[in-house]
Short mmCIF file of all heavy atoms in Angstrom, two decimals:
data_model
loop_
_atom_site.label_atom_id
_atom_site.label_comp_id
_atom_site.label_asym_id
_atom_site.label_seq_id
_atom_site.Cartn_x
_atom_site.Cartn_y
_atom_site.Cartn_z
N PHE A 7 94.84 143.84 88.25
CA PHE A 7 94.46 144.67 89.42
C PHE A 7 95.27 145.99 89.46
O PHE A 7 94.69 147.02 89.76
CB PHE A 7 94.68 143.84 90.72
CG PHE A 7 94.53 144.71 91.99
CD1 PHE A 7 93.26 144.90 92.49
CD2 PHE A 7 95.63 145.23 92.61
CE1 PHE A 7 93.07 145.68 93.64
CE2 PHE A 7 95.44 145.98 93.75
CZ PHE A 7 94.16 146.22 94.27
N SER A 8 96.52 145.88 89.18
CA SER A 8 97.37 147.05 89.23
C SER A 8 96.90 148.09 88.16
O SER A 8 96.85 149.27 88.44
CB SER A 8 98.85 146.70 89.02
OG SER A 8 99.32 145.84 90.01
N ILE A 9 96.63 147.54 86.94
CA ILE A 9 96.24 148.45 85.85
C ILE A 9 94.90 149.12 86.16
O ILE A 9 94.76 150.36 86.05
CB ILE A 9 96.11 147.65 84.57
CG1 ILE A 9 97.50 147.17 84.11
CG2 ILE A 9 95.43 148.53 83.43
CD1 ILE A 9 97.53 146.23 82.96
N ILE A 10 93.92 148.31 86.65
CA ILE A 10 92.65 148.88 86.97
C ILE A 10 92.73 149.92 88.10
O ILE A 10 92.06 150.95 88.04
CB ILE A 10 91.69 147.76 87.30
CG1 ILE A 10 91.34 146.89 86.10
CG2 ILE A 10 90.34 148.32 87.97
CD1 ILE A 10 90.50 145.70 86.33
N THR A 11 93.52 149.64 89.11
CA THR A 11 93.68 150.57 90.21
C THR A 11 94.30 151.88 89.82
O THR A 11 93.81 152.95 90.20
CB THR A 11 94.40 149.90 91.36
OG1 THR A 11 93.78 148.70 91.70
CG2 THR A 11 94.52 150.80 92.60
N ALA A 12 95.35 151.75 89.03
CA ALA A 12 96.09 152.99 88.65
C ALA A 12 95.23 153.85 87.72
O ALA A 12 95.07 155.06 87.88
CB ALA A 12 97.37 152.60 87.90
N VAL A 13 94.52 153.21 86.73
CA VAL A 13 93.67 153.96 85.83
C VAL A 13 92.51 154.54 86.59
O VAL A 13 92.02 155.64 86.34
CB VAL A 13 93.17 153.00 84.70
CG1 VAL A 13 92.16 153.78 83.81
CG2 VAL A 13 94.36 152.55 83.82
N GLY A 14 92.01 153.83 87.60
CA GLY A 14 90.91 154.30 88.40
C GLY A 14 91.28 155.62 89.06
O GLY A 14 90.36 156.51 89.20
N GLU A 15 92.51 155.80 89.47
CA GLU A 15 92.93 157.04 90.09
C GLU A 15 92.92 158.16 89.07
O GLU A 15 92.43 159.30 89.33
CB GLU A 15 94.32 156.91 90.68
CG GLU A 15 94.41 156.00 91.92
CD GLU A 15 93.71 156.64 93.09
OE1 GLU A 15 93.64 157.84 93.22
OE2 GLU A 15 93.15 155.78 93.93
N ALA A 16 93.35 157.91 87.86
CA ALA A 16 93.32 158.89 86.85
C ALA A 16 91.95 159.28 86.39
O ALA A 16 91.58 160.49 86.24
CB ALA A 16 94.09 158.39 85.61
N VAL A 17 91.05 158.29 86.36
CA VAL A 17 89.62 158.54 86.03
C VAL A 17 88.98 159.37 87.13
O VAL A 17 88.27 160.33 86.86
CB VAL A 17 88.90 157.24 85.80
CG1 VAL A 17 87.37 157.50 85.76
CG2 VAL A 17 89.33 156.56 84.48
N ALA A 18 89.21 159.03 88.37
CA ALA A 18 88.60 159.75 89.51
C ALA A 18 89.03 161.23 89.49
O ALA A 18 88.24 162.10 89.76
CB ALA A 18 89.02 159.11 90.84
N ASN A 19 90.31 161.48 89.16
CA ASN A 19 90.78 162.89 89.09
C ASN A 19 90.04 163.61 87.93
O ASN A 19 89.70 164.76 88.09
CB ASN A 19 92.28 162.88 88.85
CG ASN A 19 93.03 162.59 90.10
OD1 ASN A 19 92.59 162.84 91.20
ND2 ASN A 19 94.24 162.05 89.92
N ALA A 20 89.88 162.93 86.80
CA ALA A 20 89.20 163.62 85.64
C ALA A 20 87.77 163.92 86.02
O ALA A 20 87.23 165.03 85.70
CB ALA A 20 89.27 162.72 84.45
N VAL A 21 87.09 163.00 86.68
CA VAL A 21 85.71 163.23 87.06
C VAL A 21 85.58 164.36 88.08
O VAL A 21 84.67 165.20 87.99
CB VAL A 21 85.09 161.90 87.62
CG1 VAL A 21 83.70 162.18 88.24
CG2 VAL A 21 84.94 160.88 86.52
N GLU A 22 86.49 164.40 89.04
CA GLU A 22 86.32 165.32 90.19
C GLU A 22 86.86 166.72 89.83
O GLU A 22 86.26 167.68 90.24
CB GLU A 22 87.10 164.81 91.39
CG GLU A 22 87.01 165.66 92.62
CD GLU A 22 87.65 165.05 93.80
OE1 GLU A 22 88.30 163.94 93.69
OE2 GLU A 22 87.67 165.69 94.85
N HIS A 23 87.90 166.84 89.07
CA HIS A 23 88.53 168.14 88.88
C HIS A 23 88.44 168.78 87.50
O HIS A 23 88.61 170.01 87.43
CB HIS A 23 90.05 167.94 89.25
CG HIS A 23 90.35 167.40 90.62
ND1 HIS A 23 89.93 168.14 91.75
CD2 HIS A 23 90.96 166.34 90.98
CE1 HIS A 23 90.30 167.38 92.77
NE2 HIS A 23 90.94 166.31 92.35
N ALA A 24 88.14 168.01 86.50
CA ALA A 24 88.37 168.58 85.14
C ALA A 24 87.35 169.61 84.76
O ALA A 24 87.66 170.61 84.08
CB ALA A 24 88.34 167.48 84.10
N TYR A 25 86.03 169.47 85.19
CA TYR A 25 85.03 170.26 84.57
C TYR A 25 84.31 171.20 85.55
O TYR A 25 83.33 171.90 85.17
CB TYR A 25 84.00 169.43 83.81
CG TYR A 25 84.69 168.73 82.60
CD1 TYR A 25 85.09 167.40 82.74
CD2 TYR A 25 84.91 169.41 81.46
CE1 TYR A 25 85.72 166.75 81.64
CE2 TYR A 25 85.55 168.82 80.39
CZ TYR A 25 85.90 167.49 80.46
OH TYR A 25 86.51 166.89 79.40
N ARG A 26 84.68 171.14 86.83
CA ARG A 26 84.13 172.11 87.78
C ARG A 26 82.61 172.07 87.82
O ARG A 26 81.90 173.10 87.88
CB ARG A 26 84.59 173.53 87.49
CG ARG A 26 86.08 173.68 87.31
CD ARG A 26 86.50 175.12 87.13
NE ARG A 26 87.95 175.20 86.84
CZ ARG A 26 88.58 176.35 86.75
NH1 ARG A 26 87.97 177.44 86.96
NH2 ARG A 26 89.86 176.32 86.45
N GLY A 27 82.07 170.88 87.78
CA GLY A 27 80.63 170.69 87.83
C GLY A 27 79.87 170.88 86.56
O GLY A 27 78.66 170.70 86.47
N GLU A 28 80.56 171.24 85.49
CA GLU A 28 79.94 171.37 84.18
C GLU A 28 80.01 170.08 83.41
O GLU A 28 80.72 169.16 83.78
CB GLU A 28 80.65 172.48 83.40
CG GLU A 28 80.60 173.85 84.04
CD GLU A 28 81.37 174.90 83.24
OE1 GLU A 28 82.08 174.52 82.23
OE2 GLU A 28 81.29 176.11 83.59
N GLU A 29 79.21 170.03 82.30
CA GLU A 29 79.22 168.84 81.45
C GLU A 29 80.56 168.72 80.78
O GLU A 29 81.16 169.70 80.33
CB GLU A 29 78.06 168.92 80.42
CG GLU A 29 76.70 168.81 81.02
CD GLU A 29 75.69 168.84 79.92
OE1 GLU A 29 75.91 168.28 78.83
OE2 GLU A 29 74.60 169.48 80.13
N GLY A 30 81.09 167.50 80.69
CA GLY A 30 82.28 167.23 79.99
C GLY A 30 82.54 165.78 79.81
O GLY A 30 81.79 164.93 80.29
N TYR A 31 83.59 165.39 79.06
CA TYR A 31 83.86 163.99 78.73
C TYR A 31 85.33 163.75 79.00
O TYR A 31 86.18 164.62 78.99
CB TYR A 31 83.55 163.73 77.27
CG TYR A 31 82.12 164.05 76.85
CD1 TYR A 31 81.78 165.28 76.35
CD2 TYR A 31 81.12 163.11 77.04
CE1 TYR A 31 80.45 165.55 76.02
CE2 TYR A 31 79.82 163.30 76.70
CZ TYR A 31 79.49 164.55 76.17
OH TYR A 31 78.17 164.84 75.87
N PHE A 32 85.59 162.43 79.11
CA PHE A 32 87.02 162.05 79.13
C PHE A 32 87.08 160.72 78.32
O PHE A 32 86.11 160.05 78.08
CB PHE A 32 87.49 161.80 80.55
CG PHE A 32 86.85 160.63 81.31
CD1 PHE A 32 87.42 159.35 81.21
CD2 PHE A 32 85.75 160.80 82.07
CE1 PHE A 32 86.84 158.30 81.88
CE2 PHE A 32 85.15 159.75 82.69
CZ PHE A 32 85.68 158.44 82.65
N TYR A 33 88.28 160.42 77.86
CA TYR A 33 88.55 159.26 77.00
C TYR A 33 89.53 158.31 77.69
O TYR A 33 90.41 158.75 78.40
CB TYR A 33 89.14 159.70 75.62
CG TYR A 33 88.19 160.50 74.80
CD1 TYR A 33 88.06 161.90 74.99
CD2 TYR A 33 87.43 159.93 73.80
CE1 TYR A 33 87.20 162.67 74.25
CE2 TYR A 33 86.56 160.69 72.97
CZ TYR A 33 86.46 162.04 73.22
OH TYR A 33 85.62 162.77 72.41
N VAL A 34 89.27 157.08 77.46
CA VAL A 34 90.21 156.02 77.94
C VAL A 34 90.66 155.22 76.71
O VAL A 34 89.76 154.72 75.92
CB VAL A 34 89.59 155.11 78.97
CG1 VAL A 34 90.55 154.00 79.40
CG2 VAL A 34 89.10 155.91 80.18
N ARG A 35 91.95 155.08 76.48
CA ARG A 35 92.41 154.37 75.28
C ARG A 35 93.50 153.27 75.78
O ARG A 35 94.61 153.57 76.00
CB ARG A 35 93.11 155.32 74.28
CG ARG A 35 92.22 156.42 73.78
CD ARG A 35 92.98 157.33 72.82
NE ARG A 35 92.07 158.40 72.33
CZ ARG A 35 92.00 159.62 72.94
NH1 ARG A 35 92.72 159.87 73.99
NH2 ARG A 35 91.21 160.53 72.46
N PRO A 36 93.00 152.07 75.88
CA PRO A 36 93.94 150.99 76.27
C PRO A 36 94.56 150.31 75.05
O PRO A 36 93.83 150.02 74.01
CB PRO A 36 93.07 149.97 77.01
CG PRO A 36 91.68 150.14 76.35
CD PRO A 36 91.58 151.60 75.90
N THR A 37 95.87 150.09 74.99
CA THR A 37 96.54 149.44 73.90
C THR A 37 97.54 148.47 74.48
O THR A 37 98.04 148.65 75.63
CB THR A 37 97.22 150.43 72.95
OG1 THR A 37 98.17 151.20 73.69
CG2 THR A 37 96.20 151.35 72.33
N ILE A 38 97.98 147.49 73.62
CA ILE A 38 99.09 146.61 73.99
C ILE A 38 99.85 146.35 72.72
O ILE A 38 99.34 146.00 71.69
CB ILE A 38 98.55 145.33 74.64
CG1 ILE A 38 99.71 144.44 75.11
CG2 ILE A 38 97.61 144.53 73.73
CD1 ILE A 38 99.29 143.36 76.05
#
């Protein structure tokens, strides 16, 4: 739950702020 919640905040920021309404991508890389 902690991991999903924390990563969700980072993803939400990338979606909302990174591309200013233009097309773009983000990557998620989980490792252990």
Side-chain angles (χ1 to χ4, degrees):
F7 172 80
S8 298
I9 294 169
I10 290 175
T11 304
V13 174
E15 290 295 329
V17 167
N19 284 333
V21 169
E22 184 177 359
H23 301 298
Y25 295 100
R26 309 184 186 187
E28 298 176 354
E29 292 181 37
Y31 301 94
F32 68 91
Y33 294 83
V34 178
R35 301 181 182 90
T37 59
I38 185 166

